[in-house]
Amino acid sequence: MNKFEINDLNLYYGNGENHALKSINLPIPAKRVTSLIGPSGCGKSTLLRCLNRMNDLIEGVQIDGRLTMDDQDIYGNIDVAGLRIKVGMVFQKPNPFPMSIYDNVAYGLRAQGIKDKKHLDAVVEKSLRGAALWDEVKDRLKAHAFGLSGGQQQRLCIARTIAMEPEVILMDEPTSALDPIATKKIEDLMESLKQDYTIVIVTHSMQQARRISDRTAFFLMGELVEHDETATLFAQPQDDRTRGYVNGDFG
């Protein structure tokens, strides 16, 4: 079952001057990890931002085609704020809020008017456990989030996303600023998270895409060159451009 269906999607920056995504057709399956790979500037992060309409915030962006989530057109008449709760996002660099660990996780719930402390306590613990961070921070929940390591901060951001009960988690180069040990923890976390969430990740690392994704899509100059099961795409790419990229011949 597919969580998203992308059909003939085109995106232009600068009021039509820059054709950044060109007739993209891509299914994204539910509760699996899909990696978007390709050289810098190929459109993979742009496509990721289409999934929660973050590109709406950029002036002069034009989009045509069809993009559905659970058969609903997300560029139709929908509640965009509600969409962004369902489709959470984790960015390249950890971006915890300047407040305590506890308050970071509870922030979104409080913003929705939830004040019951028992409920907040339960969600904070559940979310931190879901992000594999609870055992490391349970005795210092009131400590400032900036005191955590980079890898812990990124997992805190994932916990903050989980607390809002999304259906999808988008990750834009989530480990590029982390050391190998922290990267391994995030990758292990993704393996467990896909039991409950659809995950779409942008990565420049071919090794990471091989390790963590079920399906992989290769982009080049705004075009989707090919997509397939990850093992198949890396072992038997159908396009010479894909073959060159996964073999490290360019990019």
Side-chain angles (χ1 to χ4, degrees), residues 85-128:
I85 291 174
K86 290 182 179 180
V87 186
M89 191 160 189
V90 177
F91 295 91
Q92 183 173 4
K93 293 183 179 179
N95 61 338
F97 299 146
M99 55 185 67
S100 72
I101 295 167
Y102 183 101
D103 289 341
N104 261 271
V105 182
Y107 183 87
L109 296 173
R110 286 172 170 159
Q112 291 184 328
I114 298 173
K115 299 179 180 179
D116 182 79
K117 189 173 186 305
K118 286 186 178 180
H119 180 68
L120 291 174
D121 288 349
V123 172
V124 168
E125 179 175 348
K126 180 181 178 182
S127 301
L128 288 169

Side-chain angles (χ1 to χ4, degrees), residues 144-160:
H144 202 287
F146 289 174
L148 298 174
S149 69
Q152 289 174 324
Q153 287 185 16
Q154 193 66 301
R155 281 183 284 148
L156 177 63
C157 293
I158 293 172
R160 189 174 67 198

